[in-house]
């Protein structure tokens, strides 16, 4: 209002003062002053309307608030009264207070509230009232006792007293009475319920847990502490479940808790917890979350149960059930009357009956009928005396098959010693019996052909020799070896090879005379003992007949035929040998003589003493070779390899030599085959590669002209040993350059197993080693395969060089090899060059290099080094009419060497 008056005075005063200054026309001045009045009235009207609207809204809000307060007070679960401070008269009371006192509102108005609800400590109440009325406190509480006028029951209430002022500013007291009897009854009921729950939990072996989310504190029942073996005073303070959980279970428990808190799902988890005695035990926790009115989690509680013994018992039962269900032995359980109660899956599998078919029946249902009454009487007598019986028994399957079992029958007794059940466990030993028969068969027979095996034939032959000595009988041992039987396996597969071998065995067996014996000695060898002979003629006749029988073709189901020829070695008793071992040895030697064409027939051969002598010589040579390798008698000689265009020595081929102290130099043609057949080629070839690399590196360190070194690799060494690994070790240990090392592999080694050869060559190429095909043109390699191989050099075999220029075929073959090598971008080197005419032919056809006696024979390492040092790396041709060209470092030709 003051603002409005001030605004009006300011408005009119300003208009009176300023209007004459703004308007110069005296006629217009009264109109301006009238507009001043209109505007003020308009603004005044707007302010009055706004003020009235505001007052109406405030009044409506006040009325709503009063109604809301009235309903709250009227229906509150506590008694409320407005009391005059001086007289104590009740001015107003709600329905709850009237019911509490058993009086109507009119009856209450006539009563003193202090008498209706007297304080237990009147002096304290008066002091609190004084402080309240003086404004020292805003309220106070005390306990009072009220009595219901209708039923006479007394109740303890909690009275809260506060001061409010009425419209006239007079202070009034508001008393709020809360009935504590209901709270006390609820508390007693809760205590009783809690006690009952605790007793129930303790009796069930469980405990209660509660997690207060706001206070972040656990509450546990006494049973939890006992389960955790806790002996302290405050389990809630000392327990750290995250640390006590087994590491393997922590993630599982964490996920379950998170899911229960987030979704409200039932929390249930079983995990291992380390108790306070240090031992892990299994516990099950079940619980749920509790939310407040706003949906926030207040508490998380549930029960805690020790599952350790339960799980152990479950594990034992599960293990026992698993053992019974999964054992290979059949299990039958009967009652004391032998009525079947249960069988396991193995039983149904072995006998063919389902469990339902046998329940309530006796084991007589699968009785075989093979055993007499005495057998069963003895079984039951042992069972009654000892409580168990073990043995073999025959039973019958559902399909009628009879089979042998190894059975164990045991009685189960109760606490009084009476039989309650019988448990029978049995194993089907049909396969075991069959295996025994197979072993007996294999002890005497070859499993593929059914013929006597080597051991049994040897025993039969020994018995026959003993009989022949006593009766002066002539006999012959004939060893039949299948020619090139490996080709049959390689061409058609081992399954076809086995069928062919069985066919030949049947044919040969069918061609025997009565009394003759037959056996299989090895993969492709069949041996025959022919008895009661009259001389060589009978043996020859039998050999011819057996060879013809073996040559009968085998026809496959697919329509093709396989024919295998046979070579036979014959050793006569007692003419050639008079013991079992010597007869077998002589037959072996004779069959190889037949393959070499040393017999009277191309297919068979009689034994003679020279055959075993050569075998003994090979064995002696092998022993001597082993000793020579250990004593360092092996040496490497080096033959120069010459570039034809420049005449420069560009390489050397390392050649193995054996200088025996007694025999002198032994030809490689003698000891290399022995090394290959005995397996010595592996360590011998490895020594050659290491020695060649070592020597070549030594020449390089001496400052001699650099040359490459070529090393021959035996086919056996190439295919059966780790050539790549050996080469890598030799290069690493010697420090020699891989690019200066050349390995020579024969054409036959590459053609025999092209895929394996390709894999080995690629490993060598990865090392950086140069690769050459030795003796090219003498094998049967495929040009398609040759194109796939990472080859650097082709070496023309000396057999094609020897007769040049006198043999046109050799010249044509050599010319073709050179042309093919140039077209494949390969270097071509000719071996065995001995004449100037041969060199001129090679030069005219574009051959790159040569080696042979025209330049030099193979030399020891020291002499080869002297040759390099003396010639400056340039070859001097024996008998060559042209003087060699001396190349210097400035000569452009050296860049291509």
């Amino acid at each position: 209002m003051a603002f409005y008056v001030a605004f009006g005075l300011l408005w009119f005063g300003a208009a009176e003062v300023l209007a004459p200054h703004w308007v110069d026309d005296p006629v217009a001045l009264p109109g301006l002053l009238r507009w001043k009045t209109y505007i003020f009235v308009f603004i005044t009207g707007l302010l009055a309307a706004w003020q009235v609207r505001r007052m109406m809204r405030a009044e409506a809000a006040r009325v709503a608030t009063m109604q809301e307060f009235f309903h709250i007070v009227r229906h509150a679960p506590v008694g409320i009264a407005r009391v005059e401070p001086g007289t104590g008269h009740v001015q107003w009371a709600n329905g709850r207070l009237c019911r509490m006192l058993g009086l109507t509102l009119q009856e209450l108005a006539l009563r003193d509230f202090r008498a209706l609800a007297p304080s237990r400590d009147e002096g304290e109440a008066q002091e609190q009232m004084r402080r309240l009325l003086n404004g020292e406190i805003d309220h106070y509480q005390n306990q009072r006792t009220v009595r219901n006028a209708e039923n006479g029951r007394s109740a303890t209430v909690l009275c809260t007293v506060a001061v409010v002022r009425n419209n006239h500013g007079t202070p009034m007291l508001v008393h709020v009475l809360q009935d504590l009897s209901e709270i006390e009854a609820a508390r007693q009921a809760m205590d009783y319920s809690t006690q009952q729950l605790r007793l129930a939990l303790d009796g069930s072996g469980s405990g209660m847990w509660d997690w207060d989310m706001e206070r972040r504190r656990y509450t546990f029942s006494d049973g939890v502490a006992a389960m955790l073996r806790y002996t302290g005073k405050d389990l809630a303070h000392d327990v750290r479940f995250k640390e006590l959980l087994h590491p393997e279970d922590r993630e599982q428990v964490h996920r379950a808790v998170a899911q229960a808190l987030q979704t409200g799902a039932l929390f249930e988890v079983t995990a291992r917890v380390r108790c306070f005695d240090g031992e892990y035990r299994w516990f099950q926790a079940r619980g749920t979350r509790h939310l407040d009115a706003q949906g926030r989690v207040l508490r998380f509680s549930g029960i805690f149960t020790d599952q350790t013994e339960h799980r152990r018992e479950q594990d034992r039962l599960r293990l026992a059930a698993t053992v019974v269900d999964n054992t290979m032995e059949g299990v039958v359980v009967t009652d004391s009357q032998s009525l079947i109660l249960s069988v396991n899956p193995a039983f149904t599998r072995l006998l063919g009956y389902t469990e339902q078919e046998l329940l309530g029946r006796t084991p007589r249902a699968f009785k075989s009928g093979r055993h007499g009454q005495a057998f069963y009487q003895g079984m039951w007598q042992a069972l009654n005396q000892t409580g168990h019986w073990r043995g073999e028994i025959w039973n019958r399957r559902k399909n009628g098959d009879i089979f042998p079992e190894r059975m164990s029958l045991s009685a189960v007794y109760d606490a009084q010693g009476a039989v309650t059940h019988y448990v029978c466990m049995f194993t089907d030993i049909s396969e075991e019996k069959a295996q025994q028969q197979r072993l007996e068969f294999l002890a005497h027979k070859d499993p593929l052909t059914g013929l006597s095996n080597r051991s049994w034939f040897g025993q039969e032959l020994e018995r026959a020799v003993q009989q022949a000595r006593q009766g002066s009988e002539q006999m012959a041992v004939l060893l039949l070896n299948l020619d090139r039987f490996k080709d049959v396996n390689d061409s058609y597969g081992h399954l076809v090879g086995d069928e062919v071998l069985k066919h030949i065995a049947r044919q040969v067996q069918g061609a025997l005379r009565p009394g003759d014996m037959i056996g299989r000695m090895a993969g492709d060898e069949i041996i025959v003992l022919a008895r009661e002979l009259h001389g060589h003629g009978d043996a020859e006749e039998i050999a011819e007949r057996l060879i013809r029988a073996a040559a009968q073709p085998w026809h496959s189901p697919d329509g093709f035929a396989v024919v295998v020829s046979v070579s036979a070695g014959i050793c006569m008793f007692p003419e050639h040998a008079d013991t079992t071992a010597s007869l077998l040895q002589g037959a072996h030697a004779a069959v190889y003589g037949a393959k070499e064409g040393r017999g009277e027939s191309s297919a068979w051969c009689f034994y003679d003493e020279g055959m075993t002598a050569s075998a003994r010589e090979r064995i002696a040579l092998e022993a001597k070779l082993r000793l020579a390798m250990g004593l360092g008698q092996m040496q490497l000689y080096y033959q120069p390899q010459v570039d034809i265009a420049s005449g420069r020595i560009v390489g050397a081929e390392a050649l193995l030599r054996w200088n025996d102290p007694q025999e002198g130099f032994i030809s490689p043609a003698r000891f290399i085959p022995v090394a290959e057949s005995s397996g010595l080629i592996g360590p011998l070839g490895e020594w050659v590669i290491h020695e060649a690399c070592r020597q070549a590196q030594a020449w390089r360190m001496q400052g001699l002209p650099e040359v490459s070194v070529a090393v021959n690799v035996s086919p056996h060494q190439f295919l059966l040993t780790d050539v790549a690994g050996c080469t890598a070790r030799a290069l690493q240990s010697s420090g020699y350059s891989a690019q200066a090392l050349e390995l020579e592999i024969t054409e036959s080694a590459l053609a025999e197993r092209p895929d394996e050869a390709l894999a080995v060559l690629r490993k060598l190429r990865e090392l950086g080693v140069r690769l050459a095909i030795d003796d090219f043109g003498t094998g049967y390699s495929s040009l398609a395969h040759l194109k796939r191989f990472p080859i650097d050099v082709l070496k023309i075999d000396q057999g094609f060089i020897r007769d040049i220029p006198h043999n046109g075929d050799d010249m044509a073959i050599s010319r073709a090899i050179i042309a093919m090598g140039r077209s494949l971008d390969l270097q071509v080197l000719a071996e065995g060059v001995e004449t100037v005419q041969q060199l001129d032919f090679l030069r005219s056809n574009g051959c790159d290099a040569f080696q042979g006696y025209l330049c030099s024979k193979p030399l020891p390492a020291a002499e080869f080094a002297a040759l390099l040092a003396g010639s400056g790396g340039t070859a001097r041709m024996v008998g060559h009419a042209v003087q060699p060209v001396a190349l210097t470092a400035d000569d452009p030709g050296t860049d291509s060497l």
Side-chain angles (χ1 to χ4, degrees), residues 567-579:
S567 298
I570 308 171
C571 186
M572 301 293 295
F573 175 90
E575 179 182 348
H576 298 148
D578 60 356
T579 65

Side-chain angles (χ1 to χ4, degrees), residues 815-835:
R815 191 180 293 114
I817 294 174
I818 295 171
M820 182 178 66
R822 297 179 69 86
S823 66
L824 294 176
D825 197 23
L826 303 176
Q827 288 187 335
V828 181
L829 183 146
E831 297 180 306
V833 177
E834 299 180 355
T835 68

Side-chain angles (χ1 to χ4, degrees), residues 88-104:
H89 290 167
V90 177
Q91 301 293 318
W92 176 89
N94 67 349
R96 173 60 177 159
L97 182 60
C98 294
R99 292 190 298 273
M100 188 183 299
L101 298 175
L103 299 172
T104 64

Side-chain angles (χ1 to χ4, degrees), residues 134-448:
N134 290 337
E136 297 178 14
I137 57 177
D138 59 354
H139 75 282
Y140 74 88
Q141 291 180 328
N142 59 8
Q143 286 190 4
R144 305 188 182 196
T145 302
V146 297
R147 182 174 180 277
N148 191 291
E150 291 182 350
N151 53 32
R153 294 178 181 175
S154 298
T156 300
V157 296
L158 178 66
C159 181
T160 303
V161 184
V163 175
V164 297
R165 296 185 182 274
N166 60 13
N167 295 336
H168 307 290
T170 305
M172 301 294 292
L173 299 178
V174 176
H175 291 259
V176 179
L177 281 69
Q178 184 177 4
D179 191 348
L180 297 181
S181 60
E182 295 181 359
I183 297 176
E184 185 65 26
R187 181 180 295 111
Q188 292 176 359
M190 182 177 295
D191 290 343
Y192 178 79
S193 177
T194 302
Q195 181 66 19
Q196 293 297 106
L197 177 60
R198 181 178 294 107
L199 293 174
L201 289 175
D202 292 342
S204 66
S206 299
M208 183 276 296
W209 57 270
D210 180 77
W211 173 248
D212 189 326
M213 304 294 289
E214 293 184 347
R215 297 169 57 199
R216 305 191 66 81
R217 179 174 175 82
Y218 280 112
T219 300
F220 297 105
S221 66
D222 295 339
V224 175
M227 284 186 283
L228 293 176
R229 276 54 174 182
Y230 179 73
T231 58
K233 297 181 179 180
D234 190 351
L235 175 62
H237 177 270
D238 295 340
V239 72
R240 298 290 185 273
F241 273 115
K242 288 185 178 180
E243 299 175 3
L244 298 179
L245 280 170
H246 193 282
E248 296 178 1
D249 298 334
R250 289 173 185 168
E251 183 64 25
Q252 169 199 359
V253 174
H254 176 75
R255 287 198 305 267
V257 170
Q259 182 179 10
L261 292 177
Q262 293 172 6
T263 67
L266 178 67
F267 170 68
E268 183 172 357
V269 69
T270 301
R272 287 160 290 183
V273 177
R274 188 179 72 249
C275 297
F276 285 87
D277 61 358
E279 181 181 349
Y280 277 102
R281 291 179 175 84
W282 284 95
F283 292 92
Q284 182 189 54
R286 301 177 74 250
T288 186
R289 69 179 185 178
H290 306 279
L291 307 178
D292 62 8
Q294 289 73 37
R296 295 176 300 180
V297 180
L298 290 180
R299 292 168 42 244
F300 187 44
S301 61
I303 61 173
F304 196 65
T305 307
D306 189 343
Q307 294 280 307
T308 305
E309 290 302 322
H310 177 67
R311 285 185 67 94
R312 288 175 180 170
E313 184 63 26
Q314 280 188 328
D315 289 343
R316 286 192 292 268
L317 294 176
R318 188 184 306 110
L319 179 61
T322 301
V323 169
V324 171
D325 289 343
N326 294 280
T327 182
M328 298 299 294
E329 297 180 324
V331 179
V332 186
V333 180
T334 74
D335 62 12
S336 59
Q337 304 302 316
S338 298
L339 298 179
I340 295 176
L341 300 177
S342 67
V343 298
N344 71 337
F347 178 92
T348 62
R349 184 182 67 253
L350 293 172
L351 270 76
Y353 292 96
T354 64
E355 187 175 32
Q356 290 71 23
E357 291 176 317
L358 292 175
L359 292 180
R361 300 175 64 183
T362 67
R364 297 187 186 92
F366 38 86
K367 188 176 179 181
S368 68
R370 280 202 174 190
H371 303 288
Q373 188 67 24
F375 174 83
Y376 292 105
Q377 288 177 350
M379 180 180 72
W380 281 104
Q381 182 179 359
L383 183 63
N384 293 330
Q385 291 177 352
T386 65
H388 63 272
W389 177 87
R390 292 184 181 88
E392 292 186 5
I393 188 173
W394 287 79
N395 274 327
R396 186 185 303 273
R397 307 185 202 273
K398 183 179 179 181
N399 62 8
D401 292 344
I402 295 175
F403 69 102
E405 295 176 356
R406 181 175 292 110
M407 190 175 78
S408 174
L409 181 60
S410 301
V412 180
Y413 302 93
D414 61 13
Q416 289 71 38
V419 175
T420 60
H421 298 84
Y422 293 106
V423 178
C424 172
M425 301 179 65
F426 66 90
T427 303
D428 184 353
I429 58 174
S430 302
E431 183 61 30
E432 183 179 326
K433 294 288 188 181
Q435 181 67 11
Q436 290 177 355
Q437 295 177 356
R438 285 194 293 270
L439 291 176
E440 291 176 1
F441 175 83
L442 293 176
H444 303 95
K445 301 294 183 180
D446 172 60
L448 179 63

Side-chain angles (χ1 to χ4, degrees), residues 377-665:
Q377 288 177 350
M379 180 180 72
W380 281 104
Q381 182 179 359
L383 183 63
N384 293 330
Q385 291 177 352
T386 65
H388 63 272
W389 177 87
R390 292 184 181 88
E392 292 186 5
I393 188 173
W394 287 79
N395 274 327
R396 186 185 303 273
R397 307 185 202 273
K398 183 179 179 181
N399 62 8
D401 292 344
I402 295 175
F403 69 102
E405 295 176 356
R406 181 175 292 110
M407 190 175 78
S408 174
L409 181 60
S410 301
V412 180
Y413 302 93
D414 61 13
Q416 289 71 38
V419 175
T420 60
H421 298 84
Y422 293 106
V423 178
C424 172
M425 301 179 65
F426 66 90
T427 303
D428 184 353
I429 58 174
S430 302
E431 183 61 30
E432 183 179 326
K433 294 288 188 181
Q435 181 67 11
Q436 290 177 355
Q437 295 177 356
R438 285 194 293 270
L439 291 176
E440 291 176 1
F441 175 83
L442 293 176
H444 303 95
K445 301 294 183 180
D446 172 60
L448 179 63
T449 62
L451 304 179
S452 297
N453 59 22
R454 182 188 187 97
S455 174
W456 185 244
F457 183 86
Q459 296 178 39
E460 290 183 321
L461 178 59
E462 178 63 29
R463 285 191 290 269
V465 168
Q466 297 296 335
Q467 295 172 3
R469 285 199 184 104
Q470 296 174 2
S472 300
E473 178 186 353
Q474 290 191 59
M475 301 187 301
V477 174
L478 298 91
L479 183 63
L480 308 179
N481 185 276
L482 311 185
D483 297 331
R484 302 187 65 178
F485 188 67
K486 181 177 180 297
D487 293 343
V488 176
N489 286 327
D490 293 343
S491 301
Y492 302 107
H494 287 277
L495 292 179
V496 171
D498 289 346
E499 293 300 323
V500 172
L501 186 58
K502 289 191 289 185
H503 165 77
I504 293 174
R506 288 192 298 268
Q507 295 297 319
V508 173
Q509 192 171 20
L512 294 179
R513 305 172 307 158
D516 293 346
M517 295 186 298
I518 185 172
R520 183 185 179 194
M521 294 298 287
D524 56 357
E525 291 182 343
I526 295 176
I527 193 164
V528 172
L529 174 63
R531 306 189 63 174
E532 298 181 358
L533 303 181
H534 297 93
H536 284 209
D538 290 348
E540 294 172 5
E541 180 183 351
I542 294 173
E544 293 284 356
R545 184 167 67 250
L546 297 180
I547 291 172
R548 287 195 302 271
Q552 295 299 314
W554 173 81
H555 297 280
S556 75
D558 297 331
F560 64 87
V562 178
V563 178
V564 178
S565 61
V566 173
S567 298
I570 308 171
C571 186
M572 301 293 295
F573 175 90
E575 179 182 348
H576 298 148
D578 60 356
T579 65
T580 298
S582 58
L583 282 169
L584 295 175
Q585 182 181 0
H588 270 97
V591 78
Y592 286 106
K595 288 181 177 292
E596 296 171 0
R598 297 165 59 182
E600 300 178 12
S601 168
S602 59
W604 52 264
C605 178
F606 280 99
Y607 167 79
D608 66 56
E609 183 63 28
M611 295 177 178
T612 53
S614 60
R616 286 193 292 269
E617 181 184 356
R618 285 194 301 270
I619 295 174
L621 187 62
E622 177 185 340
K624 183 181 288 188
L625 178 59
R626 292 180 186 275
L627 182 62
M629 292 172 61
L631 296 177
Q633 296 175 3
M634 313 307 293
Q635 300 176 15
L636 288 184
Y637 277 47
Y638 300 88
Q639 187 172 38
Q641 294 177 335
V642 182
D643 179 72
I644 294 178
S646 63
R648 184 177 181 83
I649 298 176
V650 294
E653 180 178 5
L655 300 171
L656 183 61
R657 295 292 183 265
W658 178 8
N659 188 7
D660 184 72
Q662 286 78 33
E663 296 186 41
F665 282 101

Side-chain angles (χ1 to χ4, degrees), residues 755-766:
D755 292 335
E756 296 180 24
L758 179 60
V760 176
L761 293 179
R762 284 176 175 170
K763 290 181 181 179
L764 293 170
R765 173 51 58 89
E766 291 174 359

Side-chain angles (χ1 to χ4, degrees), residues 580-877:
T580 298
S582 58
L583 282 169
L584 295 175
Q585 182 181 0
H588 270 97
V591 78
Y592 286 106
K595 288 181 177 292
E596 296 171 0
R598 297 165 59 182
E600 300 178 12
S601 168
S602 59
W604 52 264
C605 178
F606 280 99
Y607 167 79
D608 66 56
E609 183 63 28
M611 295 177 178
T612 53
S614 60
R616 286 193 292 269
E617 181 184 356
R618 285 194 301 270
I619 295 174
L621 187 62
E622 177 185 340
K624 183 181 288 188
L625 178 59
R626 292 180 186 275
L627 182 62
M629 292 172 61
L631 296 177
Q633 296 175 3
M634 313 307 293
Q635 300 176 15
L636 288 184
Y637 277 47
Y638 300 88
Q639 187 172 38
Q641 294 177 335
V642 182
D643 179 72
I644 294 178
S646 63
R648 184 177 181 83
I649 298 176
V650 294
E653 180 178 5
L655 300 171
L656 183 61
R657 295 292 183 265
W658 178 8
N659 188 7
D660 184 72
Q662 286 78 33
E663 296 186 41
F665 282 101
I666 298 177
S667 170
R670 284 182 59 195
F671 69 80
I672 291 297
V674 172
E676 291 180 336
S677 63
S678 63
L680 291 175
I681 194 64
L684 186 60
E686 184 171 352
W687 177 85
V688 171
I689 294 176
H690 277 264
E691 177 62 18
C693 291
R694 185 202 63 78
Q695 183 61 68
Q697 180 66 12
W699 289 334
R700 174 177 294 180
M701 299 300 293
Q702 294 171 14
L704 296 177
E706 292 195 8
V707 294
S708 63
V709 173
V711 178
N712 285 290
V713 178
S714 162
H716 288 72
Q717 179 187 3
F718 180 72
L719 295 175
L720 301 178
T721 66
D722 183 12
V723 176
C726 169
T727 304
R729 292 190 295 271
L731 293 171
Q732 182 178 10
S733 62
S734 65
Y736 191 53
S737 171
Q739 290 75 19
L741 177 63
E742 180 179 295
L743 297 184
E744 298 182 0
I745 299 97
T746 62
E747 188 178 5
S748 59
L750 300 180
E752 183 175 352
R753 301 179 188 172
D755 292 335
E756 296 180 24
L758 179 60
V760 176
L761 293 179
R762 284 176 175 170
K763 290 181 181 179
L764 293 170
R765 173 51 58 89
E766 291 174 359
L767 295 175
V769 175
R770 287 167 51 85
L771 301 170
I773 295 184
D774 195 16
D775 301 335
F776 185 76
T778 61
Y780 301 94
S781 63
S782 166
L783 293 180
H785 286 157
L786 181 63
K787 184 174 63 174
R788 296 167 54 203
F789 295 144
I791 299 300
D792 300 292
V793 180
L794 292 181
K795 296 189 71 174
I796 306 175
D797 185 70
Q798 60 181 343
F800 300 123
I801 302 298
R802 185 181 299 112
D803 294 333
I804 294 176
H806 308 294
N807 190 309
D809 291 339
D810 288 345
M811 295 173 67
I813 292 174
S814 299
R815 191 180 293 114
I817 294 174
I818 295 171
M820 182 178 66
R822 297 179 69 86
S823 66
L824 294 176
D825 197 23
L826 303 176
Q827 288 187 335
V828 181
L829 183 146
E831 297 180 306
V833 177
E834 299 180 355
T835 68
V836 175
Q837 292 81 3
Q838 293 170 350
L839 179 59
D840 292 340
F841 169 80
L842 296 172
R843 182 185 291 112
S844 64
N845 284 278
C847 185
D848 298 295
F850 80 94
Q851 69 183 72
Y853 277 37
L854 179 62
C855 174
S856 172
K857 66 179 181 180
L859 301 172
E863 296 182 21
F864 184 83
L867 175 65
L868 283 179
S871 64
T874 303
R876 299 181 180 278
M877 310 304 172

